[in-house]
Every structure is written in structure tokens, then in C-alpha cells.
Amino acid sequence: MEEQKTIEGLHYRTQRPIRINLDQGVIRSIEELKECFTPYILAPGLVDLQVNGFQGVDFNEPELEVSDVVFSVQKLWENGMTTFMPTLITASESAVSESIKIIIEACKDTLINATVTGIHLEGPFISRETGPRGAHPLEFVCEPDWDMVVRLQEVAKGKIKLITLSPEYEGAPELIEKCVGQGIQVAIGHTAAHSAQIKHAVEVGASLSTHLGNAAHLLLPRHPNYIWDQLAMDSLWTSIVSDGFHLPDPVMKVFMKTKPENTFLVSDSTKFAGLPAGTYQSPIGGTVLLTKEGRLCMQENPELLAGSAASLKSCLEYLVKANLATWSQAIDMASVKPLSYLTQKSSSIGLQAGNNADLILFEHKDSKMEIKKTLKAGKLVYSSL
């Protein structure tokens, strides 16, 4: 991969021409230019904390190979992704362990290791109830088990960085405290927990709502309910899937207005992202249907989604197309804000001297983002120019 020394473009927020000077994978300085000979826009690389798979690769499949992980990372680079979390859903401990081993083997490559910022375990400590459980297999759902986390973290060589669980179990608060104490962030998701359980989970360290508004009962009481409870918790960050199917536009607008600084995008993408419409077999939901419009659902219960067939880039594009965000706001929600959540920093993320040189150069036509270059740690990992 070729290391870049400089890159020029229009700043994604100001639209002013800039030159970014790079050294050893870090932004050393940013200069404002009087003129710029490129029409392309410079922005931070995209960050997705929930990627189950991409373009034919599923991180949950038992046939997963190192070459599959490498291929998926390359395809994500093409889509402007510079940081992501492979996400493993509810399965047997042995199956999750095998997937982790393959991912860690792929991370022996320095650039892939830098791109895979951590592993997200979405389950198995989730609700057993239909609706909140989503497409996760019931047979492997279990109560919080710290010993299991320790065993999996040993296999992952410390790379498990996020766990989504339901605080409806008696042992959830203790597990949350232990995870946070070991540097693992904890999200509430796939839950049927009541108000007091959610409040307690936040008090002991839960810090995020995973794809809020999804993985829920089809019918809920007006109030109280676990969506309102999480939205009202000021210290909880919110992740949303803005693919046009997971949440109606008014719901996303309310979430974003309620927590304007602490809401970010995830794709929840599966291996079907980028594949043609049809019926497929998946570890997430069994037999699933991908419609020509791009909606991915369980064939036996089409009201229930089976993850997403969208990239983070297309989720970002949807926000712009739906007039829910400007380009710069949508980009921040897909880059700066998830990194702010991960690092618990807000002032040193994005296009600033001293930060990692994780950058994209792109052109937008109407509501579409065309990636021209992707730089990871200052190295050119994708170019269409």
C-alpha cells in the first residue's frame, strides 16, 4: 500500500480548499489553500461499529476463512470505511470462538488490524422474547456469563471491545461492571427490560443503545417502554440504522433531535449488502428475503427484519436524501461521532492535526457519495482515480 504525503480537497464542513500533510500515518498539519484543482471533498473515513458481514462474506458463518475477512475489508475500504467492528451474533460459544479465531488471524496484517478496531458481540445475553430477540436463534440465547466472556476474550487476544446485551437478567449489572472494568463497552439492545433494569444498567456502566427502535416487540405500551426509557437516559449514546427500512423518518428525526451530539449511524450490514434480490440462507434469521428495494427480512415472518443489506455509506446517503441531515452532519454521524463514543473524546476526532490519517476523498452527486480515494493510516487502500 502506497503511503501518502499530502492530499488536497474541499473540507467537508467548510467547502474551502485544504491540503492535509501526512507523516507516518498521522495528520501533521492542515493548510488552507487559495485555490484547489480538484472538485472532490475531503472527510474523515467512515466508522461502523456493527458489521455482521459484507458483499457475500458473513463473519458468523462456520465456513469463514481468513481470505474472506481480507476480501470484506477491501470491499469496505472501497465504500469509504476506515474503521469497523466485525459483529458476531448469538450462537454457540464454540461457533463464536471459531469466528473470532479467523478474524484475529486476519488481523496479523497491520492495516487490517488497524481497520478492525475491535469485535462486537451482539448476544448471546439478549432477550428470549419474540421481537426483542430479532433474528437471533433462541437455542443459544443465555443469561449473562462472565466466564464465557473471559474465555472468548482470551481467544480474541483482548480485541472484544463492545458487547450488546439485555439488562433484564439478574446477573446483567454484575457483568456490565466487570466488562467496563476490563475496557469492554456495553450496549443495551435486543431487550425487553423494564425501566428500573435499564436505569440500573446505565448506573453501572452501560453506555449505548444498539440500533434503538429495532429488535423490539411489534406492539408496545404507549409508556413506559424500553425505547422511551433508553432515549431519556442522557448518558446513553444512540446508534440507529438509517437504511430507510429499520426506522421511519419521523422516528429518526426525534432520536436525532433528542440526542443531537450522541446519535450515530451503524449499518447492521449482513453479507447480503451489495447482492441481488432473492431468497437466501443466513446464520442471521435462517431463510431470509432480500427485496428489490433492498429490504432484508425473515421469509417466514416478513414483519421482522434480518439485519440490513445496506452499507454505512448508503445509510449516510439516505439521511441526506430524506432531508434529515446535511452532508456534513451525516458524515459526522458516520465517522466522528462513533469514534467519539469509542474513545470517549469529542475534541480530538476528525480532520485535526495529530489524529490518525484515516481519510476519504469523494464526490457527491445528488444524494450519492462516490468514493474516489480511501486512506487508512496514511496509506492509499483504495482509489478509483
Side-chain angles (χ1 to χ4, degrees), residues 190-300:
H190 290 274
T191 185
H194 57 65
S195 302
Q197 291 168 328
I198 290 172
K199 183 174 184 290
H200 193 189
V202 174
E203 289 172 344
V204 297
S207 54
L208 172 67
S209 296
T210 288
H211 51 47
L212 186 63
N214 294 115
H217 295 96
L218 294 177
L219 293 175
L220 285 172
R222 288 180 305 158
H223 45 69
N225 66 56
Y226 43 75
I227 296 176
W228 284 115
D229 290 336
Q230 291 177 76
L231 195 61
M233 291 288 176
D234 293 335
S235 61
L236 271 185
W237 286 70
T238 297
S239 71
I240 60 173
V241 183
S242 59
D243 62 351
F245 303 109
H246 276 69
L247 294 172
D249 291 0
V251 173
M252 287 192 283
K253 185 174 183 179
V254 169
F255 287 178
M256 292 162 62
K257 288 284 188 181
T258 303
K259 298 187 176 182
E261 300 304 320
N262 294 333
T263 300
F264 61 82
L265 304 183
V266 291
S267 69
D268 197 20
S269 68
T270 62
K271 71 176 184 179
F272 307 110
L275 297 187
T279 301
Y280 296 92
Q281 290 297 314
S282 170
I284 306 172
T287 303
V288 298
L289 175 65
L290 175 60
T291 69
K292 63 181 181 180
E293 293 80 18
R295 185 176 187 272
L296 185 67
C297 60
M298 298 173 69
Q299 188 178 50
E300 293 183 0

Side-chain angles (χ1 to χ4, degrees), residues 20 36 53 62 67 129 155 205 226 243 260 265 289 297 340 345 358:
I20 299 180
C36 185
S67 59
E129 295 189 24
V155 175
Y226 43 75
D243 62 351
L265 304 183
L289 175 65
C297 60
S340 295
K345 297 177 182 177
D358 294 349

Side-chain angles (χ1 to χ4, degrees), residues 249-379:
D249 291 0
V251 173
M252 287 192 283
K253 185 174 183 179
V254 169
F255 287 178
M256 292 162 62
K257 288 284 188 181
T258 303
K259 298 187 176 182
E261 300 304 320
N262 294 333
T263 300
F264 61 82
L265 304 183
V266 291
S267 69
D268 197 20
S269 68
T270 62
K271 71 176 184 179
F272 307 110
L275 297 187
T279 301
Y280 296 92
Q281 290 297 314
S282 170
I284 306 172
T287 303
V288 298
L289 175 65
L290 175 60
T291 69
K292 63 181 181 180
E293 293 80 18
R295 185 176 187 272
L296 185 67
C297 60
M298 298 173 69
Q299 188 178 50
E300 293 183 0
N301 191 351
E303 290 183 307
L304 294 180
L305 296 172
S308 155
S311 67
L312 190 66
K313 182 173 77 71
S314 61
C315 289
L316 181 165
E317 292 168 341
Y318 183 85
L319 282 187
V320 176
K321 183 179 180 181
N323 293 316
L324 292 170
T326 64
W327 273 104
S328 61
Q329 289 169 337
I331 290 168
D332 279 346
M333 289 178 68
S335 62
V336 172
K337 289 183 179 179
L339 268 188
S340 295
Y341 167 70
L342 277 184
T343 62
Q344 299 299 302
K345 297 177 182 177
S346 58
S347 59
S348 60
I349 304 295
L351 300 189
Q352 296 186 45
N355 290 344
N356 291 335
D358 294 349
L359 307 167
I360 54 173
L361 190 70
F362 73 94
E363 180 180 24
H364 63 71
K365 295 181 178 179
D366 298 322
S367 60
K368 292 295 183 182
M369 170 187 271
E370 294 184 4
I371 305 296
K372 301 299 180 180
K373 287 185 177 182
T374 303
L375 273 65
K376 177 63 190 178
K379 294 186 177 180

Side-chain angles (χ1 to χ4, degrees), residues 1-14:
M1 303 290 183
E2 181 183 352
E3 187 162 354
Q4 305 291 286
K5 297 298 183 183
T6 64
I7 186 169
E8 296 182 2
L10 305 175
H11 194 293
Y12 77 107
R13 287 180 178 167
T14 66

Side-chain angles (χ1 to χ4, degrees), residues 46-323:
L46 305 186
V47 178
D48 195 344
L49 306 189
Q50 196 166 358
V51 180
N52 304 285
F54 198 72
Q55 292 209 1
V57 174
D58 192 318
F59 300 126
N60 295 274
E61 284 187 338
E63 297 82 10
L64 183 71
E65 297 181 359
V66 171
S67 59
D68 297 324
V69 179
V70 173
F71 173 81
S72 67
V73 172
Q74 292 169 340
K75 289 298 179 183
L76 288 166
W77 284 337
E78 289 182 20
N79 281 267
M81 192 79 65
T82 55
T83 303
F84 82 103
M85 283 188 172
T87 300
L88 304 178
I89 71 156
T90 301
S92 68
E93 181 179 345
S94 61
V96 174
S97 181
E98 288 304 311
S99 292
I100 290 173
K101 288 177 184 177
I102 298 299
I103 293 167
I104 296 303
E105 184 68 22
C107 286
K108 288 182 177 179
D109 178 277
T110 303
L111 271 180
I112 290 177
N113 185 57
T115 303
V116 177
T117 192
I119 293 171
H120 178 178
L121 296 185
E122 189 185 358
F125 317 130
I126 61 172
S127 179
R128 292 187 172 95
E129 295 189 24
T130 299
R133 192 179 73 253
H136 291 230
L138 177 60
E139 63 181 307
F140 297 119
V141 173
C142 62
E143 296 190 12
D145 182 342
W146 173 245
D147 290 337
M148 182 192 297
V149 174
V150 171
R151 291 191 296 270
L152 291 174
Q153 185 70 299
E154 185 176 354
V155 175
K157 302 184 186 301
K159 212 167 176 69
I160 295 171
K161 297 297 183 182
L162 178 62
I163 294 179
T164 292
L165 55 72
S166 172
E168 65 197 73
Y169 297 103
E170 184 178 350
E174 181 181 1
L175 185 96
I176 294 169
E177 285 186 299
K178 287 181 176 179
C179 284
V180 173
Q182 294 298 315
I184 301 172
Q185 287 167 279
V186 177
I188 297 172
H190 290 274
T191 185
H194 57 65
S195 302
Q197 291 168 328
I198 290 172
K199 183 174 184 290
H200 193 189
V202 174
E203 289 172 344
V204 297
S207 54
L208 172 67
S209 296
T210 288
H211 51 47
L212 186 63
N214 294 115
H217 295 96
L218 294 177
L219 293 175
L220 285 172
R222 288 180 305 158
H223 45 69
N225 66 56
Y226 43 75
I227 296 176
W228 284 115
D229 290 336
Q230 291 177 76
L231 195 61
M233 291 288 176
D234 293 335
S235 61
L236 271 185
W237 286 70
T238 297
S239 71
I240 60 173
V241 183
S242 59
D243 62 351
F245 303 109
H246 276 69
L247 294 172
D249 291 0
V251 173
M252 287 192 283
K253 185 174 183 179
V254 169
F255 287 178
M256 292 162 62
K257 288 284 188 181
T258 303
K259 298 187 176 182
E261 300 304 320
N262 294 333
T263 300
F264 61 82
L265 304 183
V266 291
S267 69
D268 197 20
S269 68
T270 62
K271 71 176 184 179
F272 307 110
L275 297 187
T279 301
Y280 296 92
Q281 290 297 314
S282 170
I284 306 172
T287 303
V288 298
L289 175 65
L290 175 60
T291 69
K292 63 181 181 180
E293 293 80 18
R295 185 176 187 272
L296 185 67
C297 60
M298 298 173 69
Q299 188 178 50
E300 293 183 0
N301 191 351
E303 290 183 307
L304 294 180
L305 296 172
S308 155
S311 67
L312 190 66
K313 182 173 77 71
S314 61
C315 289
L316 181 165
E317 292 168 341
Y318 183 85
L319 282 187
V320 176
K321 183 179 180 181
N323 293 316

